[in-house]
Each structure stands twice: as structure tokens, then as C-alpha cells.
Amino acid sequence: MDWSTRRVVILGGARQGTALARYLVAHGAQVTLSDLKPAHELDLQPLAGLPVRFVLGEHPLSLLDACDLLCLSGGVPTDLPIVQEARRRGIPLSNDAGLFLDACPTPVIGITGSAGKTTTTTLVGEMLKADDPGRAVWVGGNIGNPLISDLDRIQPGDRVVMELSSFQLELMNRSPHIACITNITPNHLDRHGTLEAYIAAKRRILDFQSPDDWRVLSADNSITAALGGEGASTLWFSTRGRPAEDGAWLDEAGNLRVRLSRASSPELQAAEGAVICHRREVLLMGDHNIANILAAAAICAIAGASVDAMRRVATTFRGVPHRLQLVAEQDGVRWYDDSIATAPERLVAALKCFDQPVILLCGGRDKHLPWEEAARAMLERCKAIILFGEMGPLVAEHLTHQRGAGNGAPAQWVIVPDLRTAVRKAHRLAQPGDVVLLSPGGTSYDAFKDFAERGERFREWVNEILTAAQGGAHDR
């Protein structure tokens, strides 16, 4: 597109918004960036010296008077008055991910899901790098690096792996060549309103595919299992046995297998599929991570990667930060950071990874999601539960209800004001053999910039209190 005559308004001055502004300015567009926050609460240094007009502290409707395109950063809701007015005026809407897909010179692998999308995206990137170290692999999107920043350096023949959120997808009108949905469970209902709207946003990753495209879907998830249908070719993955003639699965003996009859590799064409590895060789914890590896293997089979490359990554990958990450071990107690668990379902998946007594740190801001199953799992699996943040009282109500209904073991819980206090309380309760697990079940926005900052502060406070405890022991 020739941007030299285009007037673009970007709503949201965080990472995605600033990356898009830099790209558009470099291509000659007239850019206005607006954010509801004042300048001192934003990091606008990436735009220093660029001809960007700033309108901060508000989103006045007058921004639309000289606007050919309105772009929304991921955190900007579509029900804002200015967005509704843009639709009424017929001004097109887009975002950095949509503009990237429109202009990318090479086929894109897109990955979304309620859980597991970041780990799967990272696994795919690592497998493709292992397969052909001399071929450029670009990994980004919702995972942290807006790929619009790299667009001018991406060449035909490069490989692009893009994580996509429901917020990004709801504005997009183009699908990736290979589109994967790891799973769909209730999430972000505070933003989308209903589960149906959330599902519709997620499935947009498939909506514009052609018969030449591919979709990779979980056969184990009731919602994604219904999304095969006509159009693009479908490859399934499952931890419950072989889902179809082609796909990726965990067999009864514990082997991770993958098969693609249309692959050029005889190993992938084999009727029984190719063995990637045995699950005991996988370093990642939990069945959900076995599913992530299978999804990545299915994607990489379509992309032409070798089984050897899949195997090398599957057996050496130690995970992405803040996802069941061991951050400390002292006096027989292990401390795990699972700050990415911003929904009750992810909290349950984390609890299932441990046989040891668990002291759970749960809290943050609620996303209007169901808590019944998580409350039961917490009572059944936890030695103690420490609730913090805005939603502490809400989760306590669910625990009280489940206890009253006779569900769960006699786990005890306590409400504390913040995560730092929760860490101190956990240290007092922990005994050798225990696991202290930060798996909040809610977003971080009541106290932190994002889940990553919450995880970093957790690590910092854990190390602080363990160092002090060790010093005290030495003093004695």
C-alpha cells in the first residue's frame, strides 16, 4: 500500500501502538497516536524525533475528522465511543497484526488459543530454526515482539511464526497460511462479554482461509473439535490417542507421534507415524505441554521440518519464562512462577503437575470467568491457599461454597493484601517437600503492568526472603 497519502489514527501507546506508528511513519503516513493515559505514564521514547502527532489523556471524536484508517492496539476495546463512531462513519478499522498479514511477503504461521499459544509459538520457532539454521525464522506478534517492526527485513522464503490474541483477531480480515488453535475455553469474558463472542474472535484465524491453506486443531477440546469442516486442510493433535489418519498424538505407550501422508519425508508418511520422543524425555511439565509439543509438531510437519528437528527441541526445551518456571529451591521447598496463568483453567492445569503438597498463591483481577472447577481443584490439591489482590474475596467465596457442598480436602486459605505479603506468608508455611506455586488465575492489572512484571517481582521477593533466611541461619 502507498501510505504517503494516508492519515492514520492509532489508539493505544504501548508496544503495539508505538511499533505500528514507527512503521507507518517510515512509509510516509501521517500518524496521530492517542492514548487515554497522560504522557508521563507512557514510554514514548521509541517515537522520539518522529513526526507523530500525540493526543493524550483522551480519545476525542474530532480525531476522526482527518482519519483514513483507525488502528487499535490489543488492549483497546472495540466498544469505545470513538471506535463506534468510526464504524458509523465507515472508517476502516485495523491493527498492527492485520496490516502485517496484508503486507508480509512470505506465508505466515499463526497460532492462537486460550492457553498454550505462547509455548506452542516458541516451540514452532525453535523447531524451524533447528531444521534449517541458515534460513531466517521470525517469531513474534502477541508473544512480545510486534512483527510489524520486522516487516521491512522479512524476505520471501523466510519463515514467520506469529502468536495472535483474540483482541487482535477480532479486527482481522485475513488468515495465516497455517492457522493453529491450541484450545478454546472461557477467557477474557470481561472484554468480549459472552463466550460466543470470544469463540467468534478466536475462529477468525480460520475464517479467511482458502483450500490451499492448513488448520491445526485440538481433537481433545470440544470447541476446536467442531472447527474442522470444509475449506482448508485440517491436521489434528491429541493426547488421548490417534485422532485421525494424519496428525500428531500421544500413543498408549507414551510416545509422541506425528504423521503427514502428503509430506515429502518418508518418515512422516509412514502408516504408523514417526516417533518424536517418549513423554518421559520431555522436560516440560504437565499434559498441557505434551499437547503444545504435539501442536507444534503438526505445524512443523506441514512447514516441512524434519522429525529430527522436532525431537531435538521437544527433548531439550525448558519452557518460556513465567510458565511453571522453577525460580528457587531452598531447604527442600521449590518455588514456581506460573504468572501466565490468568484464567482458572490454567491454574487447574498447573496444579495437576504436582504430586507434592502445594501452597498456592492465587489472585489478581478477575476476568468474569467460572471458578467452580478451580475452587474444587484448589481444595483437593492444595495444602494451603493464599489469596491476594482484587479478586481474593471472590475466590474465597467460591472456596467457601465448595467446602459447604462437601467438595475437596481440608485445605485452609487466607486473604492477604498483595503478592509480596503472600510470598512472606508462604515462606512461613512452607516445609521441606512442599511446592510454593504462583498460579494466580487472574490478570495482573490490579497491581502490575502485565503478567511478566508480576512474575519478575515474585522472583525478586522470593530470592529476597530466601537470602535473608539463609543469612539468619548462618548468623545462628
Side-chain angles (χ1 to χ4, degrees):
M1 179 178 290
D2 179 9
W3 290 103
S4 61
T5 61
R6 305 281 283 176
R7 301 166 299 178
V8 183
V9 174
I10 300 172
L11 302 183
R15 186 170 48 216
Q16 293 174 7
T18 55
L20 179 57
R22 287 181 63 85
Y23 173 81
L24 292 173
V25 166
H27 288 262
Q30 300 175 43
V31 175
T32 299
L33 188 146
S34 179
D35 197 292
L36 292 177
K37 294 180 180 178
H40 70 271
E41 294 184 18
L42 298 168
D43 178 14
L44 300 178
Q45 185 59 35
L47 302 179
L50 297 181
V52 176
R53 175 188 173 221
F54 295 100
V55 178
L56 304 177
E58 59 176 343
H59 291 322
L61 298 185
S62 58
L63 288 172
L64 302 178
D65 296 340
C67 177
D68 300 312
L69 176 69
L70 182 65
C71 291
L72 280 60
S73 294
V76 177
T78 57
D79 59 357
L80 288 180
I82 190 172
V83 180
Q84 298 301 313
E85 177 63 14
R87 284 178 164 150
R88 191 188 69 79
R89 296 189 192 185
I91 298 173
L93 305 178
S94 191
N95 55 29
D96 66 299
L99 296 183
F100 175 84
L101 280 178
D102 286 340
C104 187
T106 193
V108 173
I109 297 168
I111 299 168
T112 193
S114 299
K117 57 184 178 292
T118 296
T119 297
T120 303
T121 299
T122 307
L123 283 165
V124 171
E126 293 302 309
M127 288 177 180
L128 294 179
K129 291 173 187 176
D131 177 64
D132 187 353
R135 189 173 178 183
V137 179
W138 304 87
V139 180
N142 189 63
I143 198 172
N145 170 47
L147 285 169
I148 197 79
S149 300
D150 301 317
L151 182 55
D152 291 334
R153 295 182 291 154
I154 296 175
Q155 300 296 316
D158 290 355
R159 286 165 159 170
V160 175
V161 190
M162 188 177 194
E163 180 187 314
L164 291 161
S165 71
S166 60
F167 302 163
Q168 293 171 310
L169 286 167
E170 63 183 346
L171 289 180
M172 289 170 56
N173 56 11
R174 187 183 295 270
S175 293
H177 170 54
I178 303 174
C180 172
I181 305 179
T182 58
N183 48 61
I184 299 179
T185 55
N187 206 341
H188 297 298
L189 300 190
D190 54 336
R191 166 74 175 260
H192 294 288
T194 65
L195 178 59
E196 291 72 23
Y198 174 63
I199 294 172
K202 284 295 191 187
R203 68 158 296 140
R204 281 183 76 85
I205 197 172
L206 312 174
D207 284 349
F208 307 99
Q209 287 192 302
S210 74
D212 295 328
D213 294 327
W214 286 87
R215 57 188 61 174
V216 175
L217 302 169
S218 170
D220 301 341
N221 179 264
S222 60
I223 297 174
T224 57
L227 298 181
E230 299 178 356
S233 300
T234 302
L235 212 57
W236 300 97
F237 64 93
S238 174
T239 61
R240 302 172 184 171
R242 190 167 185 165
E245 187 66 19
D246 283 2
W249 67 97
L250 180 69
D251 70 18
E252 293 182 356
N255 296 304
L256 283 70
R257 293 180 178 268
V258 60
R259 181 178 191 262
L260 180 60
S261 56
R262 291 154 59 178
S264 58
S265 162
E267 190 176 13
L268 285 169
Q269 293 175 2
E272 69 278 9
V275 174
I276 303 167
C277 63
H278 194 276
R279 67 172 303 156
R280 64 173 170 264
E281 299 176 83
V282 174
L283 301 179
L284 296 176
M285 300 173 63
D287 289 345
H288 61 293
N289 276 319
I290 298 298
N292 293 335
I293 293 172
L294 293 170
I299 293 168
C300 288
I302 299 168
S306 68
V307 177
D308 179 64
M310 301 177 201
R311 180 179 300 115
R312 279 183 278 148
V313 173
T315 57
T316 59
F317 186 71
R318 293 186 175 275
V320 181
H322 314 302
R323 291 156 177 83
L324 281 175
Q325 182 181 28
L326 178 65
V327 298
E329 183 174 2
Q330 186 173 300
D331 298 329
V333 179
R334 290 189 168 197
W335 298 72
Y336 286 88
D337 168 16
D338 193 39
S339 183
I340 187 61
T342 60
E345 177 216 6
R346 299 190 75 151
L347 184 159
V348 173
L351 288 176
K352 290 179 179 178
C353 294
F354 299 100
D355 295 325
Q356 304 94 324
V358 173
I359 299 172
L360 175 68
L361 279 57
C362 167
R365 176 169 291 170
D366 183 47
K367 293 195 285 188
H368 302 166
L369 302 177
W371 273 92
E372 290 77 12
E373 180 185 356
R376 287 194 296 271
M378 291 159 71
L379 291 172
E380 291 168 358
R381 292 177 173 268
C382 294
K383 167 184 174 178
I385 303 161
I386 305 173
L387 305 173
F388 64 91
E390 283 184 7
M391 71 181 198
L394 169 70
V395 179
E397 288 181 14
H398 284 283
L399 292 171
T400 300
H401 176 75
Q402 292 298 325
R403 174 65 53 74
N407 296 319
Q412 301 301 311
W413 64 88
V414 62
I415 300 176
V416 299
D418 53 42
L419 177 56
R420 190 169 193 173
T421 307
V423 171
R424 292 171 177 160
K425 179 69 173 177
H427 183 254
R428 290 195 294 270
L429 293 175
Q431 297 175 333
D434 288 351
V435 163
V436 179
L437 171 65
L438 170 65
S439 192
T443 72
S444 59
Y445 301 130
D446 60 334
F448 304 96
K449 179 179 68 175
D450 53 27
F451 74 87
E453 183 188 19
R454 176 170 63 188
E456 290 302 323
R457 296 291 77 75
F458 172 70
R459 177 198 291 265
E460 174 186 316
W461 294 328
V462 168
N463 287 329
E464 177 184 277
I465 199 168
L466 294 184
T467 300
Q470 192 171 40
H474 290 164
D475 291 342
R476 291 194 296 273

PDB file of all heavy atoms in Angstrom, residues 278-310:
ATOM      1  N   HIS A 278       9.658 -40.075  23.594  1.00  0.00           N
ATOM      2  CA  HIS A 278       8.766 -40.572  24.637  1.00  0.00           C
ATOM      3  C   HIS A 278       8.477 -39.426  25.603  1.00  0.00           C
ATOM      4  O   HIS A 278       9.316 -38.542  25.805  1.00  0.00           O
ATOM      5  CB  HIS A 278       9.402 -41.735  25.391  1.00  0.00           C
ATOM      6  CG  HIS A 278       8.431 -42.503  26.229  1.00  0.00           C
ATOM      7  ND1 HIS A 278       8.077 -42.099  27.512  1.00  0.00           N
ATOM      8  CD2 HIS A 278       7.722 -43.631  25.981  1.00  0.00           C
ATOM      9  CE1 HIS A 278       7.200 -42.956  28.006  1.00  0.00           C
ATOM     10  NE2 HIS A 278       6.963 -43.904  27.104  1.00  0.00           N
ATOM     11  N   ARG A 279       7.314 -39.443  26.212  1.00  0.00           N
ATOM     12  CA  ARG A 279       6.939 -38.331  27.082  1.00  0.00           C
ATOM     13  C   ARG A 279       7.887 -38.175  28.268  1.00  0.00           C
ATOM     14  O   ARG A 279       8.051 -37.067  28.783  1.00  0.00           O
ATOM     15  CB  ARG A 279       5.498 -38.459  27.562  1.00  0.00           C
ATOM     16  CG  ARG A 279       5.192 -39.617  28.496  1.00  0.00           C
ATOM     17  CD  ARG A 279       3.776 -39.504  29.051  1.00  0.00           C
ATOM     18  NE  ARG A 279       3.597 -38.228  29.740  1.00  0.00           N
ATOM     19  CZ  ARG A 279       2.416 -37.642  29.925  1.00  0.00           C
ATOM     20  NH1 ARG A 279       1.317 -38.204  29.463  1.00  0.00           N
ATOM     21  NH2 ARG A 279       2.339 -36.505  30.578  1.00  0.00           N
ATOM     22  N   ARG A 280       8.542 -39.250  28.702  1.00  0.00           N
ATOM     23  CA  ARG A 280       9.482 -39.116  29.823  1.00  0.00           C
ATOM     24  C   ARG A 280      10.739 -38.343  29.415  1.00  0.00           C
ATOM     25  O   ARG A 280      11.502 -37.893  30.287  1.00  0.00           O
ATOM     26  CB  ARG A 280       9.851 -40.482  30.388  1.00  0.00           C
ATOM     27  CG  ARG A 280      10.586 -41.402  29.456  1.00  0.00           C
ATOM     28  CD  ARG A 280      11.063 -42.670  30.170  1.00  0.00           C
ATOM     29  NE  ARG A 280      11.560 -43.653  29.212  1.00  0.00           N
ATOM     30  CZ  ARG A 280      10.831 -44.653  28.728  1.00  0.00           C
ATOM     31  NH1 ARG A 280       9.576 -44.813  29.139  1.00  0.00           N
ATOM     32  NH2 ARG A 280      11.342 -45.488  27.844  1.00  0.00           N
ATOM     33  N   GLU A 281      10.968 -38.196  28.100  1.00  0.00           N
ATOM     34  CA  GLU A 281      12.113 -37.418  27.630  1.00  0.00           C
ATOM     35  C   GLU A 281      11.810 -35.923  27.563  1.00  0.00           C
ATOM     36  O   GLU A 281      12.723 -35.116  27.354  1.00  0.00           O
ATOM     37  CB  GLU A 281      12.535 -37.891  26.241  1.00  0.00           C
ATOM     38  CG  GLU A 281      12.964 -39.343  26.166  1.00  0.00           C
ATOM     39  CD  GLU A 281      13.279 -39.756  24.750  1.00  0.00           C
ATOM     40  OE1 GLU A 281      14.412 -39.505  24.295  1.00  0.00           O
ATOM     41  OE2 GLU A 281      12.377 -40.302  24.078  1.00  0.00           O
ATOM     42  N   VAL A 282      10.553 -35.544  27.751  1.00  0.00           N
ATOM     43  CA  VAL A 282      10.138 -34.142  27.672  1.00  0.00           C
ATOM     44  C   VAL A 282      10.437 -33.459  29.000  1.00  0.00           C
ATOM     45  O   VAL A 282      10.064 -33.961  30.067  1.00  0.00           O
ATOM     46  CB  VAL A 282       8.635 -34.047  27.330  1.00  0.00           C
ATOM     47  CG1 VAL A 282       8.161 -32.592  27.392  1.00  0.00           C
ATOM     48  CG2 VAL A 282       8.378 -34.633  25.943  1.00  0.00           C
ATOM     49  N   LEU A 283      11.076 -32.311  28.960  1.00  0.00           N
ATOM     50  CA  LEU A 283      11.418 -31.581  30.177  1.00  0.00           C
ATOM     51  C   LEU A 283      10.256 -30.747  30.701  1.00  0.00           C
ATOM     52  O   LEU A 283      10.201 -30.453  31.893  1.00  0.00           O
ATOM     53  CB  LEU A 283      12.628 -30.673  29.917  1.00  0.00           C
ATOM     54  CG  LEU A 283      13.908 -31.376  29.454  1.00  0.00           C
ATOM     55  CD1 LEU A 283      15.011 -30.349  29.221  1.00  0.00           C
ATOM     56  CD2 LEU A 283      14.352 -32.422  30.461  1.00  0.00           C
ATOM     57  N   LEU A 284       9.356 -30.336  29.821  1.00  0.00           N
ATOM     58  CA  LEU A 284       8.212 -29.520  30.231  1.00  0.00           C
ATOM     59  C   LEU A 284       7.259 -30.339  31.104  1.00  0.00           C
ATOM     60  O   LEU A 284       7.078 -31.541  30.892  1.00  0.00           O
ATOM     61  CB  LEU A 284       7.460 -28.994  29.013  1.00  0.00           C
ATOM     62  CG  LEU A 284       8.233 -28.038  28.107  1.00  0.00           C
ATOM     63  CD1 LEU A 284       7.390 -27.686  26.886  1.00  0.00           C
ATOM     64  CD2 LEU A 284       8.626 -26.776  28.850  1.00  0.00           C
ATOM     65  N   MET A 285       6.627 -29.683  32.055  1.00  0.00           N
ATOM     66  CA  MET A 285       5.727 -30.357  32.989  1.00  0.00           C
ATOM     67  C   MET A 285       4.289 -30.316  32.486  1.00  0.00           C
ATOM     68  O   MET A 285       3.843 -29.312  31.930  1.00  0.00           O
ATOM     69  CB  MET A 285       5.797 -29.680  34.360  1.00  0.00           C
ATOM     70  CG  MET A 285       7.174 -29.691  35.002  1.00  0.00           C
ATOM     71  SD  MET A 285       7.225 -28.709  36.520  1.00  0.00           S
ATOM     72  CE  MET A 285       6.060 -29.606  37.546  1.00  0.00           C
ATOM     73  N   GLY A 286       3.548 -31.398  32.710  1.00  0.00           N
ATOM     74  CA  GLY A 286       2.098 -31.387  32.506  1.00  0.00           C
ATOM     75  C   GLY A 286       1.628 -31.886  31.155  1.00  0.00           C
ATOM     76  O   GLY A 286       2.298 -31.745  30.131  1.00  0.00           O
ATOM     77  N   ASP A 287       0.418 -32.473  31.162  1.00  0.00           N
ATOM     78  CA  ASP A 287      -0.200 -32.945  29.916  1.00  0.00           C
ATOM     79  C   ASP A 287      -0.438 -31.802  28.941  1.00  0.00           C
ATOM     80  O   ASP A 287      -0.414 -32.005  27.726  1.00  0.00           O
ATOM     81  CB  ASP A 287      -1.531 -33.637  30.228  1.00  0.00           C
ATOM     82  CG  ASP A 287      -1.346 -34.983  30.913  1.00  0.00           C
ATOM     83  OD1 ASP A 287      -0.199 -35.508  30.898  1.00  0.00           O
ATOM     84  OD2 ASP A 287      -2.331 -35.509  31.461  1.00  0.00           O
ATOM     85  N   HIS A 288      -0.717 -30.605  29.472  1.00  0.00           N
ATOM     86  CA  HIS A 288      -0.982 -29.490  28.567  1.00  0.00           C
ATOM     87  C   HIS A 288       0.252 -29.153  27.732  1.00  0.00           C
ATOM     88  O   HIS A 288       0.115 -28.728  26.572  1.00  0.00           O
ATOM     89  CB  HIS A 288      -1.449 -28.263  29.355  1.00  0.00           C
ATOM     90  CG  HIS A 288      -0.477 -27.739  30.350  1.00  0.00           C
ATOM     91  ND1 HIS A 288      -0.120 -28.435  31.477  1.00  0.00           N
ATOM     92  CD2 HIS A 288       0.229 -26.581  30.399  1.00  0.00           C
ATOM     93  CE1 HIS A 288       0.751 -27.730  32.187  1.00  0.00           C
ATOM     94  NE2 HIS A 288       0.990 -26.607  31.546  1.00  0.00           N
ATOM     95  N   ASN A 289       1.435 -29.372  28.283  1.00  0.00           N
ATOM     96  CA  ASN A 289       2.635 -29.120  27.493  1.00  0.00           C
ATOM     97  C   ASN A 289       2.917 -30.241  26.499  1.00  0.00           C
ATOM     98  O   ASN A 289       3.530 -29.995  25.450  1.00  0.00           O
ATOM     99  CB  ASN A 289       3.832 -28.889  28.413  1.00  0.00           C
ATOM    100  CG  ASN A 289       3.911 -27.453  28.888  1.00  0.00           C
ATOM    101  OD1 ASN A 289       3.678 -26.518  28.122  1.00  0.00           O
ATOM    102  ND2 ASN A 289       4.217 -27.264  30.163  1.00  0.00           N
ATOM    103  N   ILE A 290       2.490 -31.461  26.788  1.00  0.00           N
ATOM    104  CA  ILE A 290       2.548 -32.524  25.776  1.00  0.00           C
ATOM    105  C   ILE A 290       1.674 -32.117  24.589  1.00  0.00           C
ATOM    106  O   ILE A 290       2.071 -32.266  23.423  1.00  0.00           O
ATOM    107  CB  ILE A 290       2.084 -33.868  26.359  1.00  0.00           C
ATOM    108  CG1 ILE A 290       3.011 -34.319  27.501  1.00  0.00           C
ATOM    109  CG2 ILE A 290       2.018 -34.931  25.265  1.00  0.00           C
ATOM    110  CD1 ILE A 290       4.444 -34.568  27.087  1.00  0.00           C
ATOM    111  N   ALA A 291       0.495 -31.570  24.870  1.00  0.00           N
ATOM    112  CA  ALA A 291      -0.384 -31.101  23.801  1.00  0.00           C
ATOM    113  C   ALA A 291       0.280 -29.980  23.001  1.00  0.00           C
ATOM    114  O   ALA A 291       0.171 -29.927  21.771  1.00  0.00           O
ATOM    115  CB  ALA A 291      -1.720 -30.622  24.380  1.00  0.00           C
ATOM    116  N   ASN A 292       0.980 -29.078  23.687  1.00  0.00           N
ATOM    117  CA  ASN A 292       1.658 -27.991  22.977  1.00  0.00           C
ATOM    118  C   ASN A 292       2.736 -28.516  22.035  1.00  0.00           C
ATOM    119  O   ASN A 292       2.887 -28.026  20.903  1.00  0.00           O
ATOM    120  CB  ASN A 292       2.282 -27.025  23.993  1.00  0.00           C
ATOM    121  CG  ASN A 292       1.250 -26.278  24.812  1.00  0.00           C
ATOM    122  OD1 ASN A 292       0.121 -26.089  24.384  1.00  0.00           O
ATOM    123  ND2 ASN A 292       1.635 -25.851  25.999  1.00  0.00           N
ATOM    124  N   ILE A 293       3.489 -29.518  22.486  1.00  0.00           N
ATOM    125  CA  ILE A 293       4.520 -30.107  21.629  1.00  0.00           C
ATOM    126  C   ILE A 293       3.883 -30.789  20.419  1.00  0.00           C
ATOM    127  O   ILE A 293       4.377 -30.676  19.281  1.00  0.00           O
ATOM    128  CB  ILE A 293       5.385 -31.101  22.424  1.00  0.00           C
ATOM    129  CG1 ILE A 293       6.200 -30.357  23.492  1.00  0.00           C
ATOM    130  CG2 ILE A 293       6.324 -31.876  21.501  1.00  0.00           C
ATOM    131  CD1 ILE A 293       6.930 -31.262  24.452  1.00  0.00           C
ATOM    132  N   LEU A 294       2.784 -31.492  20.634  1.00  0.00           N
ATOM    133  CA  LEU A 294       2.097 -32.153  19.517  1.00  0.00           C
ATOM    134  C   LEU A 294       1.567 -31.143  18.512  1.00  0.00           C
ATOM    135  O   LEU A 294       1.668 -31.345  17.294  1.00  0.00           O
ATOM    136  CB  LEU A 294       0.963 -33.023  20.061  1.00  0.00           C
ATOM    137  CG  LEU A 294       1.392 -34.240  20.885  1.00  0.00           C
ATOM    138  CD1 LEU A 294       0.183 -34.882  21.571  1.00  0.00           C
ATOM    139  CD2 LEU A 294       2.121 -35.265  20.018  1.00  0.00           C
ATOM    140  N   ALA A 295       1.004 -30.044  19.012  1.00  0.00           N
ATOM    141  CA  ALA A 295       0.527 -28.997  18.107  1.00  0.00           C
ATOM    142  C   ALA A 295       1.684 -28.443  17.291  1.00  0.00           C
ATOM    143  O   ALA A 295       1.577 -28.244  16.074  1.00  0.00           O
ATOM    144  CB  ALA A 295      -0.150 -27.887  18.909  1.00  0.00           C
ATOM    145  N   ALA A 296       2.811 -28.178  17.960  1.00  0.00           N
ATOM    146  CA  ALA A 296       3.980 -27.646  17.258  1.00  0.00           C
ATOM    147  C   ALA A 296       4.492 -28.633  16.216  1.00  0.00           C
ATOM    148  O   ALA A 296       4.890 -28.242  15.106  1.00  0.00           O
ATOM    149  CB  ALA A 296       5.082 -27.307  18.264  1.00  0.00           C
ATOM    150  N   ALA A 297       4.489 -29.914  16.558  1.00  0.00           N
ATOM    151  CA  ALA A 297       4.957 -30.927  15.613  1.00  0.00           C
ATOM    152  C   ALA A 297       4.059 -30.994  14.382  1.00  0.00           C
ATOM    153  O   ALA A 297       4.548 -31.121  13.250  1.00  0.00           O
ATOM    154  CB  ALA A 297       5.020 -32.286  16.303  1.00  0.00           C
ATOM    155  N   ALA A 298       2.756 -30.923  14.589  1.00  0.00           N
ATOM    156  CA  ALA A 298       1.833 -30.940  13.453  1.00  0.00           C
ATOM    157  C   ALA A 298       2.083 -29.739  12.543  1.00  0.00           C
ATOM    158  O   ALA A 298       2.114 -29.866  11.308  1.00  0.00           O
ATOM    159  CB  ALA A 298       0.393 -30.943  13.959  1.00  0.00           C
ATOM    160  N   ILE A 299       2.255 -28.571  13.134  1.00  0.00           N
ATOM    161  CA  ILE A 299       2.535 -27.365  12.347  1.00  0.00           C
ATOM    162  C   ILE A 299       3.831 -27.531  11.566  1.00  0.00           C
ATOM    163  O   ILE A 299       3.907 -27.225  10.366  1.00  0.00           O
ATOM    164  CB  ILE A 299       2.624 -26.141  13.271  1.00  0.00           C
ATOM    165  CG1 ILE A 299       1.260 -25.827  13.880  1.00  0.00           C
ATOM    166  CG2 ILE A 299       3.154 -24.924  12.520  1.00  0.00           C
ATOM    167  CD1 ILE A 299       1.305 -24.833  15.025  1.00  0.00           C
ATOM    168  N   CYS A 300       4.865 -28.016  12.243  1.00  0.00           N
ATOM    169  CA  CYS A 300       6.169 -28.123  11.597  1.00  0.00           C
ATOM    170  C   CYS A 300       6.196 -29.210  10.526  1.00  0.00           C
ATOM    171  O   CYS A 300       6.964 -29.113   9.562  1.00  0.00           O
ATOM    172  CB  CYS A 300       7.245 -28.369  12.648  1.00  0.00           C
ATOM    173  SG  CYS A 300       7.567 -26.900  13.654  1.00  0.00           S
ATOM    174  N   ALA A 301       5.374 -30.237  10.678  1.00  0.00           N
ATOM    175  CA  ALA A 301       5.262 -31.235   9.619  1.00  0.00           C
ATOM    176  C   ALA A 301       4.730 -30.586   8.342  1.00  0.00           C
ATOM    177  O   ALA A 301       5.228 -30.834   7.237  1.00  0.00           O
ATOM    178  CB  ALA A 301       4.355 -32.376  10.061  1.00  0.00           C
ATOM    179  N   ILE A 302       3.715 -29.748   8.488  1.00  0.00           N
ATOM    180  CA  ILE A 302       3.168 -29.035   7.322  1.00  0.00           C
ATOM    181  C   ILE A 302       4.220 -28.100   6.733  1.00  0.00           C
ATOM    182  O   ILE A 302       4.351 -27.972   5.507  1.00  0.00           O
ATOM    183  CB  ILE A 302       1.922 -28.234   7.729  1.00  0.00           C
ATOM    184  CG1 ILE A 302       0.830 -29.164   8.251  1.00  0.00           C
ATOM    185  CG2 ILE A 302       1.399 -27.407   6.555  1.00  0.00           C
ATOM    186  CD1 ILE A 302      -0.312 -28.437   8.948  1.00  0.00           C
ATOM    187  N   ALA A 303       4.995 -27.446   7.609  1.00  0.00           N
ATOM    188  CA  ALA A 303       6.005 -26.485   7.158  1.00  0.00           C
ATOM    189  C   ALA A 303       7.242 -27.165   6.572  1.00  0.00           C
ATOM    190  O   ALA A 303       8.133 -26.474   6.075  1.00  0.00           O
ATOM    191  CB  ALA A 303       6.414 -25.584   8.318  1.00  0.00           C
ATOM    192  N   GLY A 304       7.306 -28.482   6.647  1.00  0.00           N
ATOM    193  CA  GLY A 304       8.406 -29.207   6.011  1.00  0.00           C
ATOM    194  C   GLY A 304       9.584 -29.497   6.905  1.00  0.00           C
ATOM    195  O   GLY A 304      10.647 -29.904   6.413  1.00  0.00           O
ATOM    196  N   ALA A 305       9.446 -29.337   8.209  1.00  0.00           N
ATOM    197  CA  ALA A 305      10.562 -29.602   9.116  1.00  0.00           C
ATOM    198  C   ALA A 305      10.761 -31.101   9.312  1.00  0.00           C
ATOM    199  O   ALA A 305       9.831 -31.900   9.179  1.00  0.00           O
ATOM    200  CB  ALA A 305      10.319 -28.933  10.460  1.00  0.00           C
ATOM    201  N   SER A 306      11.960 -31.482   9.661  1.00  0.00           N
ATOM    202  CA  SER A 306      12.274 -32.891   9.877  1.00  0.00           C
ATOM    203  C   SER A 306      11.846 -33.345  11.267  1.00  0.00           C
ATOM    204  O   SER A 306      11.741 -32.542  12.198  1.00  0.00           O
ATOM    205  CB  SER A 306      13.782 -33.113   9.721  1.00  0.00           C
ATOM    206  OG  SER A 306      14.484 -32.483  10.783  1.00  0.00           O
ATOM    207  N   VAL A 307      11.620 -34.641  11.404  1.00  0.00           N
ATOM    208  CA  VAL A 307      11.291 -35.208  12.707  1.00  0.00           C
ATOM    209  C   VAL A 307      12.469 -35.056  13.660  1.00  0.00           C
ATOM    210  O   VAL A 307      12.290 -34.840  14.857  1.00  0.00           O
ATOM    211  CB  VAL A 307      10.893 -36.690  12.567  1.00  0.00           C
ATOM    212  CG1 VAL A 307      10.627 -37.311  13.930  1.00  0.00           C
ATOM    213  CG2 VAL A 307       9.664 -36.823  11.677  1.00  0.00           C
ATOM    214  N   ASP A 308      13.681 -35.121  13.138  1.00  0.00           N
ATOM    215  CA  ASP A 308      14.861 -34.947  13.984  1.00  0.00           C
ATOM    216  C   ASP A 308      14.874 -33.567  14.633  1.00  0.00           C
ATOM    217  O   ASP A 308      15.209 -33.430  15.818  1.00  0.00           O
ATOM    218  CB  ASP A 308      16.134 -35.146  13.161  1.00  0.00           C
ATOM    219  CG  ASP A 308      17.397 -34.958  14.002  1.00  0.00           C
ATOM    220  OD1 ASP A 308      17.605 -35.760  14.929  1.00  0.00           O
ATOM    221  OD2 ASP A 308      18.141 -33.995  13.733  1.00  0.00           O
ATOM    222  N   ALA A 309      14.502 -32.521  13.875  1.00  0.00           N
ATOM    223  CA  ALA A 309      14.448 -31.165  14.433  1.00  0.00           C
ATOM    224  C   ALA A 309      13.384 -31.082  15.517  1.00  0.00           C
ATOM    225  O   ALA A 309      13.596 -30.466  16.570  1.00  0.00           O
ATOM    226  CB  ALA A 309      14.166 -30.154  13.330  1.00  0.00           C
ATOM    227  N   MET A 310      12.230 -31.707  15.277  1.00  0.00           N
ATOM    228  CA  MET A 310      11.176 -31.729  16.293  1.00  0.00           C
ATOM    229  C   MET A 310      11.680 -32.418  17.557  1.00  0.00           C
ATOM    230  O   MET A 310      11.446 -31.954  18.676  1.00  0.00           O
ATOM    231  CB  MET A 310       9.948 -32.473  15.761  1.00  0.00           C
ATOM    232  CG  MET A 310       9.332 -31.910  14.506  1.00  0.00           C
ATOM    233  SD  MET A 310       7.956 -32.968  13.968  1.00  0.00           S
ATOM    234  CE  MET A 310       7.812 -32.512  12.246  1.00  0.00           C
TER     235      MET A 310
END
